[in-house]
Amino acid sequence: MDKPHIIEVKTGKPYAIAVGEGLLREAGSWVATVQKPGRIAVVTDSHVAPLHYPELEASLTAAGFTPFLHVFPAGEASKTLSTFGDILNDLAEHQLTRTDKVIALGGGVTGDLTGFAAAAYLRGIGFVQIPTTLLAMVDSSVGGKTGVDLPSGKNLAGAFHQPALVLCDPNVTDTLPTDVFADGVAEALKTALLGDADLFSLMEQGQWRSQRNQVIERCIRIKADIVEEDEFEQGRRKLLNLGHTLGHAIEKCTAFAVSHGHAVAMGMAAVARAAVANGLAPAALAKRIQAALLANGLPFTLPLPMDEILPAIASDKKRAGSRLTVVVPTAPGDCRLLDLSLTEAQAFLRKGA
Ligand SMILES: NC(=O)c1ccc[n+]([C@@H]2O[C@H](COP(=O)([O-])OP(=O)(O)OC[C@H]3O[C@@H](n4cnc5c(N)ncnc54)[C@H](O)[C@@H]3O)[C@@H](O)[C@H]2O)c1
Ligand SMILES: [Zn+2]
């Protein structure tokens, strides 16, 4: 195995993200750098458990750990207070103490749930993220946002809780269904578009699989840079919401039939068209973004008429009072934040239909 690349994230509590093929096999010795070998909890979902837990378990055991496993049913429908409670109860039944740790092995759902459970258990214990989807590698395992969905909306309860360590093994994404992989590609293209023109060029033809380590690493670096500067989303971190104002509204209006990454792809294309129509970007930019989405197997047209989607941006969680920030792409690697009233935002975005 090539030596993993390490990205240091200098948040309030700094931590390392290691990226390397075959890292899952070595996870035990990596975890031992942040935790004395002994008992350790692992949380994963019902899809990931049979695929990747045996390798993690063997590696933890070889490094002197005694892991115990908590498995919940795979899918966003499990990202609830009820599953969160089940995890807390299991940690308590195993008498985990303040100095123990919990490992999240899985996609964004597992990471968000486990991170929130780690933030709440005994008022906070350490956790390690081992993301297994591309989305979790490039996005959800960086930045320390954890949480669960409530009946009233997604991610409405949670905490900022930074992990002690993140281990990304790109080989693990080989078992992902095509659509789930594509969800992560949408977030990676988003990251490139807001912060790295060269990365966007590398990805836009869709032929980057042989360079996926580099893509993952560069996305992590961009997100880490932004998060370091703005850990609690007061300013620059809002850039990461590119494509998300409409994306969330699309998810909501289709009752989540359109997945998050696919909705973000549609939202990104529409906000680019709106940027052109509002005179903030050249026409070539919207065309280039659409072509990049297409080449990467992602959609760029809206699943419903814009007028049916726009009312739903009113429930955007990122809204501050009656205003919301729309992230507008102006060139590859460059975006602007527009602070608009709800009516202004709707008028701006309507032109991107
Ligand atoms: N915390 C953050 O900053 C942040 C950022 C973006 C998204 N999110 C959250 O992340 C979630 C979406 O993440 P996701 O797309 O990873 O969802 P997910 O965790 O549900 O994973 C998607 C599907 O892939 C399966 N899977 C995971 N790894 C696999 C593998 N290696 N092989 C085969 N199947 C595998 C899962 O079982 C699931 O069925 C949402 O809940 C979203 O709110 C959080
Ligand atoms: Zn997203």
Side-chain angles (χ1 to χ4, degrees), residues 68-257:
F68 70 90
L69 181 63
H70 180 97
V71 184
F72 66 86
E76 184 76 27
S78 282
K79 210 174 118 177
T80 59
L81 286 172
S82 157
T83 315
F84 166 76
D86 292 344
I87 298 170
L88 290 179
N89 281 327
D90 207 14
L91 301 181
E93 274 163 26
H94 283 84
Q95 300 180 351
L96 238 65
T97 70
R98 272 253 167 85
T99 55
D100 292 319
K101 281 199 176 50
V102 45
I103 298 176
L105 173 72
V109 167
T110 305
D112 282 10
L113 264 171
T114 312
F116 189 31
Y121 184 68
L122 303 178
R123 300 197 181 83
I125 65 169
F127 83 116
V128 173
Q129 295 252 37
I130 307 187
T132 62
T133 61
L134 181 64
L135 182 141
M137 292 184 192
V138 300
D139 195 349
S140 62
S141 61
V142 193
K145 281 192 190 173
T146 72
V148 296
D149 303 331
L150 299 181
S152 311
K154 277 190 61 172
N155 297 322
L156 288 184
F160 282 99
H161 190 53
Q162 304 292 346
L165 174 70
V166 183
L167 302 175
C168 290
D169 180 349
N171 291 347
V172 170
T173 63
D174 286 341
T175 55
L176 283 176
T178 311
D179 271 6
V180 180
F181 187 81
D183 280 330
V185 176
E187 297 284 9
L189 277 171
K190 171 204 80 177
T191 309
L193 199 51
L194 64 86
D196 187 339
D198 291 341
L199 179 59
F200 189 77
S201 304
L202 170 73
M203 295 185 71
E204 67 183 332
Q205 313 292 342
Q207 310 289 332
W208 50 271
R209 223 181 155 84
S210 62
Q211 285 151 292
R212 65 182 177 183
N213 292 16
Q214 195 196 134
V215 168
I216 292 169
E217 200 181 321
R218 283 168 78 165
C219 285
I220 294 173
R221 278 191 201 280
I222 294 164
K223 183 159 181 189
D225 273 355
I226 293 174
V227 167
E228 279 172 11
E229 221 178 89
D230 182 16
E231 187 170 349
F232 301 106
E233 197 164 324
Q234 304 299 309
R236 199 169 160 228
R237 190 163 179 170
K238 291 183 181 157
L239 284 172
L240 296 165
N241 293 324
L242 173 61
H244 281 60
T245 303
L246 282 171
H248 286 142
I250 291 166
E251 286 181 273
K252 197 162 181 207
C253 292
T254 60
F256 297 91

